[in-house]
């Protein structure tokens, strides 16, 4: 006994989304059937509309509905610092801290042998072009503190070493509110290594 | 700094799906933007198409693209036994065991004070009507062994008590392959209570 074809197709479409396995896809599919027709049409339209209106910022790669994103278009931001992040949402995460006021550059991933991602699959060429224009003085590399994020940071530091910019890496250490006792040893090592005079 | 409007709308639409919080919705939204336009259109179409083609079986409530679902339409199945389940997918789970050959009835939920679900919100009236036709001899109640599933099973047993059908409940006990040492005490109590002569 199998699901009706239209239902199988819906489940197959949902399974392609990240983090959605068969069980979740089934659950979501049932939920979608419970939505009323107008709601589903609005949902479908939001998918198509997002694809139609949104694209990458021509400067930093951030998602935008303009030619240049709101970050890059904001002249009050410090134009001399660029923070390099893995994904568009990382820039918004940093924004939430309300501390950083420079620009961003979105890599769209990290170098990964296991996932077959090489430097040329990332948004790196446009970073080099940005830097070549001479206005940028510091590049903060804010990829995740994982093996792949680290590899990517080292790669970027190397290719930017002859570019007359300061290349820095975000600090490692204990997150605020953390319990030392529950912190993994690698974080502790990094926290001690990175200690500062008080 | 906020997401572009079309992106916010997409995230909002995704957040309405079950088990999708803000973080997952963001992740999925980014992924959707990476899909090509044809793929997104196909996805949107599968949503609309599923809603258009699928509805509840007029007999048991199972999701179908016909008037009567494949289960109810199959005359080779035992027409005298009905297994009552919470959700459409539970019927498919039982089918996978390839043992049960009777019919099903889908409640679409369980009685739940916390979620404000009362018996009249469930697909119970049509079960009573099915039984009134006199062909059904046994009703197996296969709601989940949770407090709410139990409450619903007791409720059904009560309202069916004057209907001249045998009402049974699926067995509780250790799942096959389980480790007694790791089994919770309530399951153990049920397993001992339900012991059978060998």
């Amino acid at each position: 006994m199998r699901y009706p074809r239209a239902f199988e197709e819906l489940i197959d479409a949902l399974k392609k989304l990240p983090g959605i396995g068969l069980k979740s896809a089934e659950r979501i599919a049932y939920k979608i059937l419970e939505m009323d027709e107008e709601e589903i049409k609005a949902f479908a339209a939001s998918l198509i509309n997002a694809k139609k209106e949104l694209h990458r910022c021509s400067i930093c790669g951030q998602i935008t509905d303009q030619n240049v994103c709101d970050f890059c278009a904001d002249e009050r931001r410090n134009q001399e610092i660029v923070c390099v992040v893995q994904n568009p949402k990382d820039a918004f995460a940093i924004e939430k801290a309300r501390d950083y006021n420079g620009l961003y550059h979105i890599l769209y991933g990290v170098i990964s042998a296991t996932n077959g991602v090489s430097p040329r699959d990332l948004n790196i060429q446009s970073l080099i072009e940005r830097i070549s224009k001479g206005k940028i003085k510091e590049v903060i590399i804010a990829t995740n503190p994982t093996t792949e994020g680290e590899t990517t940071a080292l790669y970027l530091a190397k290719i930017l070493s002859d570019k007359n910019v300061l290349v820095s890496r975000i600090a490692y250490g204990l997150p605020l509110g953390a319990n030392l006792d529950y912190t993994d040893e690698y974080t502790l090592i990094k926290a001690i290594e990175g200690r500062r005079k008080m």
Side-chain angles (χ1 to χ4, degrees), chain A residues 147-178:
Chain A
T147 312
E148 295 175 342
E150 233 29 66
T151 306
T152 308
L154 289 171
Y155 175 84
L156 289 174
K158 197 180 138 212
I159 63 163
L160 298 180
S161 60
D162 62 348
K163 295 281 188 258
N164 200 28
V165 283
L166 174 67
V167 180
S168 62
R169 179 84 173 107
I170 47 163
Y172 311 100
L174 270 72
L176 295 194

Side-chain angles (χ1 to χ4, degrees), chain A residues 16 46 81 110 123 135 137 159 167 182:
Chain A
K16 287 182 193 154
S46 74
I81 308 184
V110 275
N123 187 28
K135 222 170 161 185
K137 294 191 175 154
I159 63 163
V167 180
Y182 286 93

Side-chain angles (χ1 to χ4, degrees), chain A residues 96-111:
Chain A
K96 274 185 202 143
R98 295 168 182 274
D99 183 47
Y100 178 75
N101 191 37
L103 302 173
Y104 292 98
H105 197 85
I106 322 292
L107 292 181
Y108 283 94
V110 275
I111 299 166

Side-chain angles (χ1 to χ4, degrees), chain A residues 7-22 24-32 43 47:
Chain A
F7 199 64
E8 288 274 5
E9 284 171 2
L10 178 58
I11 290 172
D12 286 343
L14 291 166
K15 271 198 305 190
K16 287 182 193 154
L17 302 175
I20 309 291
L22 175 60
S24 306
E26 285 178 342
R27 201 149 28 89
I28 293 171
Y30 283 116
K31 168 76 181 184
I32 286 169
F43 186 16
L47 289 169

